[in-house]
Amino acid sequence: DTLSKTLVLPNTRWREYIDLAIEANAAKVVVDVIKQHPGKEDVLLTATNCLAKLAVSTVNADVIAREGGVQAILLSIEANPELDSQGDAFTRALELLNGLCDHQRTLAAVADSDMVARLLKMLQVRVRSCLLVGGWRGVGHDVIVGGHLFIG
């Protein structure tokens, strides 16, 4: 949480801290935390908040994808059937995945057919009919992710 607070305004040195986070491999460390605590709502919320701020950098977005961050987030959501689809952790996780779609190289990690199928299943189970969830829109079995329509 402390790390994520240094990565945004009003901290005028936030870009410098992003560079330091890259040097420290912070994105990998945070992904590893999600992997070690699947299904823990507070861990998912704190970690995805941090990763979303780190992912403004293409370098960090690449690290998140390469280190299995997308997979870890989905596993964590799947491991907690009680996770509220309107809750902060679920919404923030989807916002992070949506943000990763903004980077050309990391889009493939989110748009992988297995990942999309898992996302569709989660949305189908957790979200009723058509509902805006943080930037992701579930329409029946179709999902719009980062401006891309995936047909389920």
Side-chain angles (χ1 to χ4, degrees):
D1 196 41
T2 302
L3 171 64
S4 71
K5 290 177 184 176
T6 63
L7 300 175
V8 293
L9 293 173
N11 184 347
T12 57
R13 297 175 60 193
W14 71 271
R15 290 177 200 253
E16 178 185 339
Y17 289 122
I18 292 284
D19 291 338
L20 290 171
I22 291 168
E23 288 178 31
N25 210 8
K28 180 186 181 322
V29 171
V30 176
V31 167
D32 287 344
V33 168
I34 296 172
K35 289 177 181 178
Q36 292 171 9
H37 302 281
K40 302 291 185 189
E41 186 171 358
D42 57 337
V43 172
L44 182 64
L45 176 60
T46 302
T48 53
N49 272 331
C50 185
L51 289 174
K53 293 168 185 169
L54 289 169
V56 299
S57 155
T58 300
V59 172
N60 281 325
D62 288 346
V63 169
I64 294 166
R66 184 178 63 247
E67 295 299 327
V70 174
Q71 175 81 358
I73 290 165
L74 294 180
L75 284 172
S76 189
I77 292 170
E78 291 166 341
N80 184 347
E82 301 299 315
L83 195 64
D84 179 10
S85 67
Q86 301 301 303
D88 292 339
F90 186 81
T91 301
R92 192 61 176 145
L94 293 182
E95 288 171 348
L96 169 60
L97 295 175
N98 193 49
L100 290 173
C101 292
D102 292 338
H103 301 280
Q104 188 63 35
R105 293 190 304 227
T106 58
L107 174 61
V110 179
D112 171 87
S113 61
D114 176 57
M115 297 298 176
V116 171
R118 289 170 65 193
L119 282 167
L120 289 172
K121 184 177 179 185
M122 279 189 295
L123 289 171
Q124 184 179 23
V125 168
R126 296 169 192 269
V127 182
R128 294 178 307 275
S129 66
C130 180
L131 183 62
L132 185 66
V133 180
W136 290 59
R137 193 172 359 176
V139 185
H141 292 5
D142 304 343
V143 176
I144 298 171
V145 182
H148 305 281
L149 176 63
F150 295 98
I151 309 295

